[in-house]
Amino acid sequence: MVGVMSFGVGLMRIAENSGIILGAAKKLDPFLRFLFPGIPKEHKANEYISTNMIANIFGLGWAATPAGLKAMEELGKLNHHSKTASRDMCTFLIINISSLQLIPVNMIAYRSQYGSANPTRIVGPAIIATLISTLAGIIFAKIMSSLPEKKGGYSK
């Protein structure tokens, strides 16, 4: 697993240094505007959220974690370090947990490690499952964002 993790983190570094992440982040911008309307357009949180989402889509969860932590840190600054999570923070957490994956690298590695005859057979079902969980998460986050705020609850 260390080899898979190192490979994933290395790929993300190469993608970042070559500008692939920045290009993909620009393509994700309309989607991010929809999901996170409270984040200013050129804010650093958008870059970290994009990096996290791209890493998760390609099944590189270990590479996604540092970007996710940085994104939450930036969202916390936008939320004035409140003890109550903002709507954008909650939405990011939901999207991050649901984790749409096109290539479930971890599952393929585990199946290979434990002697599966066809470790990649999980790809199709994993895409369907993570697509459904991500869509459900987006719908839930949008419904919750549309509800009026309650004191001590879900905030802007």
Side-chain angles (χ1 to χ4, degrees), residues 43-44 73 91 101 103 112 114 117 132 150:
H43 197 274
K44 192 76 171 162
E73 183 179 310
T91 299
Q101 290 187 12
I103 307 166
S112 179
Y114 290 106
I132 290 169
K150 293 182 180 177

Side-chain angles (χ1 to χ4, degrees), residues 19 52 120 125 147 151:
N52 177 272
T120 59
L147 296 176
K151 186 173 179 163

Side-chain angles (χ1 to χ4, degrees), residues 73-93:
E73 183 179 310
E74 292 297 322
L75 290 171
K77 290 176 187 175
L78 286 173
N79 196 29
H80 308 291
H81 302 287
S82 171
K83 291 185 180 190
T84 302
S86 69
R87 290 182 178 190
D88 289 329
M89 292 171 88
C90 292
T91 299
F92 177 65
L93 186 61

Side-chain angles (χ1 to χ4, degrees), residues 6-22:
S6 299
F7 178 72
V9 171
L11 279 179
M12 286 305 292
R13 288 284 175 236
I14 291 168
E16 189 177 320
N17 292 339
S18 67
I20 293 171
I21 298 293
L22 187 60

Side-chain angles (χ1 to χ4, degrees), residues 7 33 39 42-44 48 54 61 75 114-115 119 123 133 146:
F7 178 72
R33 299 270 51 84
I39 302 175
E42 298 297 323
H43 197 274
K44 192 76 171 162
Y48 292 129
I54 292 164
L75 290 171
Y114 290 106
V123 172
S133 70
S146 70

